[in-house]
Amino acid sequence: MSEALLLSLIQKLVISYRKGNSSLKQNSEYFRKQFEKMMEEMREIVDIVRDKKLEEGRSLNFLVSDLVDMTDDAIKFFDEDMIRYNLGDYESMMSIHSWMGEIKKQMLKLGDDESNIRSSEYVEDAVDVVGLDEDVEMLLRKKILDGARYRKDVFIKGMDGIGKTTLAREIYNHPTVIERFKRRAWVSNSTNHFTIKELLIKLIQQLKDPENLHTSSLLENMDNRSLRDMLRQHLQWKRYLIVLDDLPKQMHLSSFLEALPREYTGSRLLLTSHATHVNIKVSEENVYKMEPLDAKKSWQLFMKAINKLTGDHKFPKSLEPMGKQMLRKCGGLPLAIKEVGKQLAEKKVSGQSKWEQLLESVDFGSTLKLLEPFYHKLDPKLRSCFLSMAFFKENTTLRKEKLKQIWNVVGAAQEYESGSHLDGLIDESVIDVQDKSTQYRMNVVLHMLSIQRAEEEFDFEILRNNGNNQPCESPRHHRVIICSRDKFNYSTDQDKLLVSLFFHGGGYFDASPSYWKSFEQLKILDLEDFGLKFLPDSIGTLMELRYLGLRNNYIKELPESLGCLKKLEILDIVKNFMVEVPDIIWELHSLRHLYMSNLICWKPFKIDTLENLETLTYVSVDNWTCRLSGFEKLFCLWKLGIEELDGNSDVRKLFASLVVFKRLNHLILKGYRFRSMPCLDDLRILHRLEKLKLDGLLARLPTNLPQSLKSLTLVNSCLDEDPMPLLGKLPKLEYLKLRNAYTGQQMVILHDTFPRLEVLCMEELWNLRNVQCGKDAKYRLRKLEIHDCPYLDTLSEVIWSFRSMKEMKMVTTKSIAAKMKNSDSISKIAMVNINP
C-alpha cells in the first residue's frame, strides 16, 4: 500500500511540474533542478520501501503521511496559478527537499530496531536549576507576559547541555504562566522516527477539550491535513502556550504553523534548539541565546550535585581552589558540571588526599558521549569545519580570516547553501562571536568533542613531546604536536601523507633538516604563539606548502629558502619584532594573503610582483611610497594596512596611489609610536572604501571621510573635539567603534545623524561623563557595547532614544552596573549583559 501511494505522489509531482514549468519560462532552470532533486529523493524512498519489504506499521505510515504533506506543498509551489507568487520562496523548497532527505534516512533505519527509542524528554530534577532566575524573569517579562496580543514565537537557542530545556521547563511550570495560559502543551523529539504527524497527535492529545476525547488509534488513522484542522479547532480563540523542544531543524513545519491561530489572544510558541529553523521566522529580538554559567554559578551547581549524592562525604573546603580549576574544563556547561559531580560523588571517598586524586583524574568521556547527538545533528556540510577546530588550542580566540584559510586549504569548506561556513557554525551554536564577527571562540567541552571525533573520522592525532606516545599505526593526515621544554622527540615514519601540522606549547625543538624533508605533502604548517626563535633553512623543502603561520614568535630572520615555496598562498609573520625578510619573498607569486609588520628589508619592496595578493598588512608608508609604479597589477587587492604614519608622511601621494585599486574595500592606517598622524582629509578620494580603521593620534578628524564607509574604527585617536557630529553625517555607516578615541567629557548624538548605524562600541573613554541624544530621533541602533567608561552613568536616559536596540553589553564600575540593572530603560532590550 505504501509503495503504491508513493508512486502516485511521484505521478502528481510530474503532472504539476509540467503544467507550472510550461506556463512560466523565467527561472525554469531553477524549477527543473528542484524538481529533479525531489524526484531523486522520492524514487530512492520507493526503492527503500520495496527492497526492505517494510511491513505496514505505525512508523512507516507516519513517515508516508509526512511525504504526502511534502508533495502537497511542492505541488503548490509548481502550481500554474501560484508559481509567480512562490517564485522567490526558495527557502521553502530547500526545506521540503531537506525533510524528504531526512525521511529517507529514517526509512533506512526502519526494521533494524523498532524498539530503539531516543528520549530527550526532560525529567525534572532540582539539581538542574542553578542561576536561571534572571533568565526566567527576563523571558517572562519581555517575551511571554509582555502583553503582545498576537501569537509570538520565542526561540531559546544554545548548544546541547547548556540548559535550554531546563529554562523552558521553568517557564512552562511558572505559576503565572499556568494561570495565564489555560491551554498548554509540551512536545519533545523523543524517538528515532519523529514526524510531523506525531507532533500533531501529541499536541491534540494534550490540548483536547474534555468533552472531545480522541483515542490514539483514531488520530493515527487520520491524515496530516485532518489533524491540522482538528488542532486549529482546539486552539481557535484560545490563549495557548506550546513548547517544541529540540525538534529537528530540517523538519518542514510550514503547514503545521498554519494550524496555529494567530488571533489576538496573546498566545505563545516557545521553541528550543541549537540552530534556527528555516520555516520559523523568529525576529532577532525574540531569540534568547543561552550563555555558559560563570565561575560562581558553575561552582554552585557543582556543589549542589556533589552534596546531593555524597551524603556524609562532603567535599573538603581546602580543595575549593583545585575544584574550581578543574571546573574550568567544563566551560560553564551544566551538562558537563553535573556529569563531573556525579562521577566524583559515585566514588564515595572521604579524606582530602582521595578527593585530590579524584580531581586530578576526572574523565570527560561520559560527558562527550552525551554530546555526540549534538555532533550528529550538525549540517553534514559543516562537520568537516567542526572537526578541524581540533587543530587549535582550547579556549583560544580565533580570527575569522585564519579559520576560513585553514578550512579552504584542508578542503573542509565544501559547498554550503545557507551562507558562509562561519555563519553556519554560529547558527548551530558551535562557535561564539567575540568581536564584530572577526573573532570566534569554541566552548572547551565542544573542543574536546571535536578532538575525539577528529581522531575517529578525520585522520587526526595529537602527539605530546614527552616520549610517552607514538604516532598512530595508520597514517594520519592532520597532526598537532604539543611540545615541552625537553628534547624534541620525533619520528619520520608516517610523515609523507601529512597535510597539516600544528605546533603548540613550549617553543623549543631541535629537529634536524631531515625532519622537514619528510613532509612531502604538507600544505599547512602553523607555529603561531609557539615562541619560536629560529626557522630552519630546510623549510624550503616543503614544496606543497600553502599556509605558513609564524605569528607572535621571536623570529629574527627568515631564511632565503623561503623563496622555494612556490605554492605558498598565506604567509603570516606579524608580531615578530624587527624580523629580517629576504628579497626572495617577492618571488612567491602564489601569495594571496601576506601579514607582516616591523620588517627589515635591505632592498626596496617589490609588492607589485605579487599579482594574486588580496590581503597585505602591514607595510610602512615609506616602503609603500618609495615605489609607486606597477600597482595597477594588484587588481585583486581588497584589504591593505599601512603603518608608521607621522606628520612627515606624504599621505596625499599615498592616497593617490590607492585610487588605482578598484577592489580595495578595507583600509587600516596606523600611526608611528606616539607621534601624531598627518592630516587625512585626502581620504575622501577613496570613494569605494567600506571599512576603515585609524589607529593613532589625530589632531582632528578628516573633514570629509569617504561617503561609502559602512564600518569605522578609531583607536588611540585621543581627539579633543567630539567626533559624533561629524561621523553622524556618514550616510551608510553601520558599525562604529571608538577606543581611547575621545578625551572629552560630553558627547552629543544629534537627532538627524547616523541614519544606518546599527552597532556602536565605546571603549576606554576615560573622561566621558555624559551622552546626549536628540529628542524624537529615529535611530536604528540595535547593539550597544560599553567597556571601561568609568564615569558614564547617564546611559539610562540615552537608551530611551535608541528604541530599536536589541542587545546591550557593558563592563563598568560596580555602582554604575547596579544603577543600570535597576533602570527601567533596559527593560525593553532583549539581551542585556552588564558586569562590574
Side-chain angles (χ1 to χ4, degrees):
M1 177 179 176
S2 294
E3 182 181 345
L5 179 56
L6 292 172
L7 290 172
S8 70
L9 293 178
I10 291 176
Q11 186 176 9
K12 287 173 65 177
L13 270 175
V14 171
I15 294 172
S16 176
Y17 167 74
R18 287 174 178 171
K19 287 183 178 179
N21 197 49
S22 62
S23 67
L24 184 63
K25 298 302 181 182
Q26 183 182 3
N27 278 6
S28 59
E29 181 65 16
Y30 169 77
F31 286 107
R32 183 186 64 79
K33 289 182 179 180
Q34 294 299 324
F35 172 75
E36 289 178 352
K37 287 180 180 180
M38 291 181 186
M39 287 297 99
E40 182 180 358
E41 294 285 9
M42 292 292 285
R43 291 189 183 105
E44 289 181 4
I45 289 171
V46 171
D47 290 341
I48 292 169
V49 173
R50 181 186 298 120
D51 295 344
K52 295 191 72 170
K53 298 180 181 178
L54 297 174
E55 297 182 4
E56 299 294 332
R58 183 178 186 272
S59 296
L60 178 60
N61 292 337
F62 278 25
L63 291 170
V64 171
S65 292
D66 276 19
L67 281 173
V68 173
D69 249 9
M70 300 301 100
T71 305
D72 288 343
D73 278 0
I75 287 173
K76 291 178 184 177
F77 190 88
F78 292 127
D79 186 84
E80 182 176 356
D81 297 327
M82 296 290 291
I83 198 166
R84 293 183 183 276
Y85 172 77
N86 285 317
L87 187 59
D89 195 12
Y90 299 145
E91 289 186 347
S92 292
M93 292 303 295
M94 289 169 56
S95 173
I96 292 171
H97 180 252
S98 178
W99 189 237
M100 281 185 173
E102 187 64 25
I103 290 174
K104 182 179 69 176
K105 292 178 184 177
Q106 293 190 32
M107 283 191 169
L108 284 169
K109 298 175 184 177
L110 285 179
D112 296 338
D113 185 4
E114 281 292 325
S115 64
N116 183 22
I117 301 296
R118 184 188 65 80
S119 176
S120 63
E121 295 282 356
Y122 176 80
V123 179
E124 190 68 34
D125 187 349
V127 75
D128 290 336
V129 184
V130 168
L132 290 180
D133 292 345
E134 292 184 5
D135 305 82
V136 171
E137 191 275 334
M138 193 282 294
L139 276 170
L140 285 175
R141 177 164 50 89
K142 299 181 180 181
K143 313 297 180 189
I144 307 299
L145 307 174
D146 62 339
R149 298 189 61 193
Y150 57 88
R151 190 196 84 209
K152 180 185 287 188
D153 301 339
V154 182
F155 190 31
I156 300 176
K157 183 180 177 183
M159 62 176 285
D160 280 11
I162 205 165
K164 302 185 299 297
T165 302
T166 304
L167 177 57
R169 272 290 180 189
E170 289 292 296
I171 297 292
Y172 188 77
N173 291 327
H174 196 276
T176 308
V177 169
I178 294 174
E179 181 180 356
R180 181 178 179 84
F181 298 95
K182 302 306 180 183
R183 297 289 178 94
R184 295 184 306 135
W186 178 292
V187 177
S188 291
N189 175 17
S190 57
T191 70
N192 280 333
H193 311 303
F194 196 74
T195 61
I196 297 172
K197 183 168 185 175
E198 183 174 356
L199 169 63
L200 291 166
I201 290 174
K202 284 188 173 184
L203 286 176
I204 291 171
Q205 289 175 331
Q206 294 183 60
L207 295 167
K208 61 193 175 187
D209 292 316
E211 63 273 15
N212 294 323
L213 300 178
H214 309 290
T215 63
S216 296
S217 58
L218 173 65
L219 296 176
E220 290 178 8
N221 288 328
M222 298 172 66
D223 59 24
N224 286 19
R225 179 178 297 178
S226 300
L227 290 171
R228 287 197 300 269
D229 291 341
M230 181 179 290
L231 178 62
R232 173 171 279 278
Q233 291 175 8
H234 285 318
L235 297 177
Q236 198 79 44
W237 303 113
K238 305 292 194 306
R239 181 184 292 154
Y240 59 85
L241 169 66
I242 293 176
V243 179
L244 303 182
D245 180 35
D246 194 32
L247 295 192
K249 63 170 287 188
Q250 303 93 341
M251 181 174 277
H252 183 69
L253 294 174
S254 294
S255 299
F256 162 76
L257 292 173
E258 293 174 0
L260 302 182
R262 298 193 67 96
E263 289 89 357
Y264 296 114
T265 58
S267 297
R268 299 290 182 264
L269 175 64
L270 181 61
L271 306 104
T272 73
S273 179
H274 71 288
T276 54
H277 200 292
V278 67
N279 295 133
I280 303 177
K281 305 299 183 184
V282 180
S283 62
E284 185 179 352
E285 63 185 77
N286 289 327
V287 176
Y288 186 77
K289 186 176 184 302
M290 292 202 68
E291 301 290 343
L293 299 177
D294 59 24
K296 181 179 179 181
K297 292 176 181 177
S298 294
W299 184 252
Q300 290 175 351
L301 179 58
F302 176 70
M303 291 306 298
K304 201 169 185 179
I306 286 285
N307 293 334
K308 180 180 179 180
L309 297 171
T310 55
D312 297 331
H313 304 292
K314 300 297 183 182
F315 188 85
K317 181 73 174 177
S318 58
L319 288 181
E320 186 172 322
M322 186 176 180
K324 290 182 177 179
Q325 181 70 24
M326 179 273 300
L327 278 186
R328 292 181 183 178
K329 296 181 180 180
C330 296
L333 193 66
L335 173 70
I337 296 168
K338 289 184 290 181
E339 278 298 307
V340 168
K342 178 182 177 182
Q343 182 183 145
L344 296 176
E346 286 178 346
K347 303 294 183 180
K348 295 183 179 180
V349 300
S350 60
Q352 178 166 329
S353 60
K354 292 185 178 180
W355 273 110
E356 189 171 347
Q357 292 175 8
L358 284 178
L359 288 174
E360 292 176 346
S361 61
V362 167
D363 180 17
F364 285 86
S366 60
T367 299
L368 300 184
K369 186 71 174 177
L370 291 172
L371 281 177
E372 281 189 5
F374 176 78
Y375 169 71
H376 293 296
K377 286 188 293 186
L378 294 178
D379 189 310
K381 294 179 179 179
L382 293 175
R383 288 179 188 168
S384 294
C385 295
F386 175 83
L387 298 177
S388 69
M389 299 299 286
F391 301 161
F392 309 106
K393 298 177 184 178
E394 70 174 32
N395 211 24
T396 297
T397 300
L398 298 165
R399 300 182 305 281
K400 176 180 182 178
E401 292 176 343
K402 180 173 182 176
L403 281 173
K404 293 173 68 175
Q405 290 159 3
I406 295 292
W407 290 340
N408 286 330
V409 174
V410 299
Q414 303 171 2
E415 181 183 358
Y416 185 58
E417 295 175 340
S418 304
S420 73
H421 291 76
L422 279 167
D423 292 339
L425 291 180
I426 294 170
D427 180 63
E428 302 235 16
S429 304
V430 172
I431 57 178
D432 291 319
V433 180
Q434 297 296 299
D435 178 33
K436 196 190 169 247
S437 300
T438 60
Q439 294 183 324
Y440 305 87
R441 187 179 296 244
M442 188 182 204
N443 185 278
V444 292
V445 182
L446 271 190
H447 185 258
M448 292 183 208
L449 181 63
S450 72
I451 292 175
Q452 182 190 78
R453 304 306 304 182
E455 289 175 337
E456 297 177 6
E457 303 179 25
F458 209 49
D459 292 331
F460 171 75
E461 67 179 355
I462 296 179
L463 298 181
R464 298 182 183 275
N465 183 36
N466 53 18
N468 295 329
N469 56 6
Q470 295 294 327
C472 298
E473 294 182 2
S474 59
R476 304 278 94 178
H477 289 137
H478 312 286
R479 180 183 298 165
V480 167
I481 297 179
I482 301 178
C483 291
S484 65
R485 294 289 178 179
D486 300 328
K487 182 177 176 62
F488 182 61
N489 299 309
Y490 60 91
S491 169
T492 61
D493 294 339
Q494 298 181 9
D495 295 341
K496 292 184 178 181
L497 297 179
L498 207 63
V499 174
S500 63
L501 178 61
F502 293 76
F503 281 86
H504 302 165
Y508 172 79
F509 69 102
D510 55 351
S512 67
S514 62
Y515 175 73
W516 299 108
K517 293 178 181 178
S518 62
F519 300 113
E520 296 180 0
Q521 302 297 323
L522 195 67
K523 296 180 180 179
I524 297 174
L525 175 60
D526 188 46
L527 292 139
E528 182 172 340
D529 301 324
F530 189 62
L532 191 67
K533 296 181 179 179
F534 172 73
L535 192 66
D537 190 68
S538 52
I539 200 79
T541 61
L542 305 177
M543 305 300 292
E544 297 297 319
L545 203 64
R546 292 172 56 189
Y547 181 101
L548 179 57
L550 303 172
R551 179 180 292 235
N552 196 26
N553 283 287
Y554 304 102
I555 301 172
K556 297 297 183 182
E557 181 181 3
L558 296 181
E560 291 280 346
S561 64
L562 203 68
C564 299
L565 306 180
K566 300 301 183 183
K567 295 184 179 181
L568 193 65
E569 297 178 9
I570 302 104
L571 175 60
D572 189 347
I573 52 176
V574 172
K575 297 185 180 179
N576 286 274
F577 185 68
M578 302 306 292
V579 59
E580 186 174 332
V581 177
D583 190 50
I584 202 74
I585 196 173
W586 313 117
E587 297 181 12
L588 301 177
H589 300 303
S590 295
L591 273 181
R592 295 171 54 210
H593 306 281
L594 177 57
Y595 306 96
M596 57 187 185
S597 183
N598 297 312
L599 302 183
I600 299 175
C601 191
W602 300 112
K603 295 182 180 181
F605 279 29
K606 302 176 183 177
I607 301 170
D608 55 295
T609 63
L610 305 178
E611 298 183 6
N612 294 308
L613 211 58
E614 299 176 19
T615 306
L616 177 59
T617 59
Y618 292 91
V619 179
S620 75
V621 64
D622 291 337
N623 280 328
W624 182 272
T625 55
C626 74
R627 186 181 183 88
L628 295 178
S629 62
F631 285 157
E632 63 276 1
K633 299 177 183 178
L634 303 180
F635 62 90
C636 294
L637 191 67
W638 70 272
K639 180 178 180 180
L640 175 65
I642 302 291
E643 63 182 359
E644 298 183 0
L645 280 83
D646 62 16
N648 297 320
S649 302
D650 191 345
V651 290
R652 177 171 296 184
K653 183 187 293 185
L654 168 65
F655 297 146
S657 71
L658 301 184
V659 174
V660 301
F661 300 115
K662 305 301 182 183
R663 298 187 181 182
L664 187 62
N665 172 277
H666 190 175
L667 178 64
I668 306 172
L669 301 177
K670 297 180 68 173
Y672 183 68
R673 298 184 182 177
F674 301 105
R675 301 178 188 176
S676 181
M677 287 203 286
C679 174
L680 301 177
D681 287 346
D682 287 320
L683 268 170
R684 62 180 178 272
I685 66 175
L686 303 179
H687 53 83
R688 296 185 183 91
L689 209 59
E690 294 187 358
K691 299 180 69 174
L692 175 64
K693 179 178 179 179
L694 304 178
D695 185 351
L697 289 170
L698 289 173
R700 63 173 177 82
L701 276 178
T703 55
N704 194 5
L705 287 165
Q707 299 295 288
S708 55
L709 284 181
K710 294 182 179 180
S711 173
L712 176 62
T713 301
L714 300 179
V715 179
N716 298 323
S717 306
C718 298
L719 294 163
D720 296 327
E721 185 177 352
D722 182 4
M724 304 307 272
L726 184 59
L727 298 180
K729 296 178 181 179
L730 295 173
K732 298 182 179 181
L733 193 65
E734 299 174 357
Y735 175 91
L736 175 61
K737 181 174 183 178
L738 306 173
R739 179 158 66 87
N740 192 24
Y742 175 50
T743 60
Q745 297 184 12
Q746 180 167 298
M747 185 178 286
V748 179
I749 303 177
L750 302 176
H751 76 283
D752 57 348
T753 56
F754 296 109
R756 295 192 181 181
L757 188 65
E758 296 185 359
V759 181
L760 173 60
C761 303
M762 298 192 292
E763 301 178 5
E764 300 175 22
L765 303 183
W766 305 109
N767 299 322
L768 187 62
R769 284 167 165 75
N770 184 33
V771 177
Q772 294 182 357
C773 293
K775 294 182 179 180
D776 301 323
K778 296 182 179 179
Y779 303 114
R780 296 176 58 177
L781 195 74
R782 61 176 179 80
K783 182 176 181 180
L784 176 64
E785 293 191 17
I786 309 289
H787 295 272
D788 298 320
C789 301
Y791 298 109
L792 185 58
D793 60 356
T794 59
L795 275 177
S796 299
E797 302 171 6
V798 175
I799 290 172
W800 287 115
S801 302
F802 300 140
R803 299 175 184 177
S804 60
M805 191 160 65
K806 311 303 179 188
E807 182 177 357
M808 178 181 176
K809 294 183 179 181
M810 189 174 187
V811 177
T812 184
T813 63
K814 290 184 178 180
S815 60
I816 296 178
K819 179 180 178 180
M820 289 300 303
K821 288 181 178 180
N822 295 326
S823 171
D824 291 338
S825 62
I826 66 171
S827 61
K828 65 183 180 67
I829 304 174
M831 298 181 64
V832 177
N833 188 353
I834 301 176
N835 294 305

